[in-house]
Amino acid sequence: MSNPGETTSQRPLRVAIVGAGPAGVYAADILTKSNGVKDGDFEVSIDLFEAYPAPYGLIRYGVAPDHPRIKGIVNALHKVLDRGDIRFLGNVTYGRDLTLHDFRAFYDAVIFSTGAIKDADLPIPGIDLEGSYGGADFVSWYDGHPDVPREWPLDAKEIAVIGNGNVALDVARMLVKHPEELLSTEIPDNVYQGLKGSPVTDVHVFGRRGPAQVKFTPLELRELSHMNDVDIVLYPEDFEFDEASDDAIRSNNQIKTMVNTLTNWLVEEHAESEQPSSRRLHLHFLHSPVEIYDDGGSGRVAGIKFERMELDGTGNVKGTGEFVDYPVQAVYRAIGYHGSPLDELEYDAKRGVIPNEGGRVLDAGGNPVPGIYATGWIKRGPVGLIGHTKGDALETIGFLLEDRLQLPPAENPDPQAIIHLLEERGIEYTTWEGWIKLDAHEAALGAEWVAQDAEESVVRERIKVVPREDMIRISRG
């Protein structure tokens, strides 16, 4: 057992990381591989806490299941956690099961990597009508999040998706894609059955700016062309380019690739044979949402009104005063994520982040809080791809190491002490060994599905377990 009187230079540095998504795992990995640890100057002892019974955070519950890169990222995170030098403790919720006071008692430093899971607000009339949804909520449903309802209302034939980022394209693709194509992914059965009953024929994606200002990536865009029996529809009047657009196309290969792809689709669309698909995905640009409206006071979405925009020469847009209506029965806003406040920490509600300087968390007076850090989206806001999170973690860990000898020492740094506390409080925490069991169980469900549905020529690698109680039971079994 560790001696509480020892300083952090005489015993392993105890660090808690709250949030086991990519940001948390990268931070843990970088800390274990830091020069001081590699050179034997000091040791670290890291516990990685997660509110869900399973690890991986955004990768498991925030990315479309048909994403080609998911598997590679999961494999990389798995390798880090499977080494055995980072302890995973799942199904433990900060602010409910453990407080900041608890963490300070057992750890010398705490890193918050809780991400951003809520939808950013879209303050327009009608946003609260029945049939108006947050894209993040829909993502949670189709990713089998344990804390959302099992059913989702999929009764609209025509749907609007507001946003021009990767999440907007994910939402649109999941809505318009024929669900049989998703059977090779890990989607839960309730999601497959729900999508199977959808009467959707048209999904419209709307962006405020032009084709050269979109926020999605070439990979996301190309995925749209791989859907069976779905036509992509574009509109010539939306293809407007100003001086800033031309500069961006010339100087940025990613933008050039996307504009070329969209322009080619626009040309090919008018040359195709007259055999329309049963579903259509419409991509609109230069549309700013003004109002979602119902039909005669029904309280249900009946359509959405946009103002047509035009580029102003700088790549930004201004209104034209021209308005256009689209009859739709559902609207999904996917204009970004927003972080959530954390107990006992300051919170910037406008940006949805914990106030910090380079990862050092700040108090109400703008001073660093000793031993408290942040990384990932809760640190910098929900921008950038998953790869950007590594640089983010590197900065935070750099400051933590700089502060190492001045950190407020834990009262009880014994690694077993936190386990005793969780057990005393009756918290059914899960472990890495438990995740290995759950992982194997989900793979077995996939294999069984193939056996039951022999007429389907699809091999299911796994089927995600949704109910939290089942995840806990299998993990702790």
Side-chain angles (χ1 to χ4, degrees):
M1 178 171 170
S2 301
N3 179 358
E6 289 180 320
T7 66
T8 54
S9 60
Q10 297 170 301
R11 58 164 173 79
L13 178 71
R14 289 283 286 148
V15 178
I17 300 177
V18 182
V25 177
Y26 290 150
D29 189 40
I30 289 167
L31 183 53
T32 61
K33 292 176 178 174
S34 59
N35 289 335
V37 174
K38 284 195 296 186
D39 295 343
D41 296 341
F42 66 97
E43 297 176 49
V44 290
S45 169
I46 303 172
D47 286 342
L48 185 61
F49 291 86
E50 175 54 61
Y52 309 127
Y56 307 145
L58 177 74
I59 297 298
R60 185 172 168 93
Y61 293 122
V63 182
D66 59 347
H67 246 304
R69 288 182 300 174
I70 290 182
K71 197 173 291 185
I73 297 170
V74 166
N75 288 343
L77 299 179
H78 179 99
K79 283 178 184 174
V80 172
L81 294 179
D82 204 43
R83 293 196 310 248
D85 56 350
I86 299 162
R87 184 166 62 176
F88 171 75
L89 295 169
N91 199 42
V92 180
T93 300
Y94 172 76
R96 185 189 68 194
D97 300 327
L98 293 176
T99 65
L100 188 60
H101 175 79
D102 295 327
F103 278 110
R104 283 199 173 283
F106 298 105
Y107 299 93
D108 306 305
V110 187
I111 303 171
F112 288 91
S113 58
T114 50
I117 59 170
K118 290 187 176 178
D119 283 287
D121 288 335
L122 179 62
I124 61 172
I127 196 68
D128 295 322
L129 287 173
E130 188 180 344
S132 173
Y133 308 108
D137 293 334
F138 182 56
V139 172
S140 292
W141 175 75
Y142 68 59
D143 272 335
H145 193 296
D147 301 332
V148 302
R150 301 288 181 269
E151 308 301 319
W152 188 271
L154 289 162
D155 49 12
K157 285 189 173 184
E158 299 157 302
I159 300 170
V161 178
I162 303 170
N164 249 181
N166 285 343
V167 176
L169 286 197
D170 279 353
V171 167
R173 199 175 64 254
M174 290 295 290
L175 285 166
V176 79
K177 199 171 192 173
H178 290 279
E180 291 73 22
E181 289 188 69
L182 295 166
L183 284 174
S184 59
T185 75
E186 63 183 20
I187 62 162
D189 279 336
N190 67 297
V191 175
Y192 172 62
Q193 295 300 334
L195 292 170
K196 202 173 177 181
S198 171
V200 67
T201 59
D202 293 81
V203 174
H204 299 261
V205 181
F206 295 94
R208 281 188 75 248
R209 299 199 288 169
Q213 288 81 37
V214 294
K215 295 296 184 185
F216 40 75
T217 58
L219 180 67
E220 286 277 353
L221 190 60
R222 283 195 297 269
E223 281 178 36
L224 299 183
S225 64
H226 298 155
M227 297 183 291
N228 292 327
D229 191 34
V230 178
D231 287 337
I232 297 173
V233 184
L234 298 117
Y235 298 86
E237 62 270 25
D238 290 346
F239 280 73
E240 182 182 309
F241 301 95
D242 61 0
E243 190 177 332
S245 302
D246 293 336
D247 288 344
I249 293 166
R250 277 194 299 268
S251 62
N252 187 309
N253 281 334
Q254 179 166 303
I255 293 172
K256 182 179 180 180
T257 299
M258 288 191 290
V259 169
N260 284 344
T261 300
L262 289 166
T263 307
N264 288 340
W265 285 353
L266 180 65
V267 173
E268 290 166 7
E269 182 188 328
H270 297 286
E272 285 177 0
S273 62
E274 294 183 10
Q275 284 191 331
S277 299
S278 67
R279 294 180 176 183
R280 287 159 295 281
L281 178 62
H282 306 254
L283 299 179
H284 303 268
F285 306 103
L286 299 169
H287 282 68
S288 182
V290 173
E291 178 189 7
I292 303 169
Y293 54 86
D294 63 2
D295 187 8
S298 66
R300 286 190 55 85
V301 170
I304 182 166
K305 181 189 293 290
F306 291 90
E307 182 177 9
R308 291 283 311 185
M309 310 301 283
E310 62 183 5
L311 293 166
D312 65 1
T314 69
N316 290 313
V317 290
K318 58 186 179 182
T320 64
E322 178 192 343
F323 296 90
V324 57
D325 289 308
Y326 293 87
V328 295
Q329 300 83 52
V331 175
Y332 291 75
R333 68 185 184 279
I335 57 171
Y337 286 103
H338 201 72
S340 302
L342 293 164
D343 283 4
E344 301 179 75
L345 297 176
E346 289 300 310
Y347 177 65
D348 181 339
K350 187 175 181 182
R351 295 181 57 222
V353 299
I354 301 171
N356 69 92
E357 281 183 0
R360 287 183 174 122
V361 171
L362 305 177
D363 63 17
N367 304 304
V369 182
I372 308 297
Y373 303 86
T375 191
W377 280 2
I378 199 64
K379 167 188 173 183
R380 62 185 162 89
V383 291
L385 302 175
I386 289 167
H388 295 133
T389 308
K390 286 186 179 177
D392 215 30
L394 196 61
E395 179 185 54
T396 296
I397 295 302
F399 282 123
L400 187 155
L401 293 174
E402 198 176 293
D403 301 339
R404 180 173 66 89
L405 297 178
Q406 287 80 46
L407 294 171
E411 297 165 25
N412 189 349
D414 180 2
Q416 277 305 110
I418 190 69
I419 300 298
H420 294 324
L421 181 66
L422 292 172
E423 289 174 347
E424 277 173 26
R425 291 182 178 175
I427 297 163
E428 294 183 296
Y429 65 90
T430 59
T431 62
W432 180 248
E433 293 72 26
W435 162 246
I436 298 298
K437 290 180 191 174
L438 179 58
D439 191 28
H441 180 84
E442 291 185 344
L445 289 178
E448 289 166 14
W449 190 93
V450 173
Q452 291 169 1
D453 297 74
E455 72 277 5
E456 297 275 3
S457 59
V458 177
V459 176
R460 300 206 68 182
E461 286 190 25
R462 63 191 296 123
I463 298 176
K464 194 180 283 183
V465 173
V466 180
R468 184 181 282 262
E469 57 273 20
D470 290 352
M471 295 172 71
I472 295 168
R473 175 179 51 78
I474 295 160
S475 299
R476 289 174 62 90

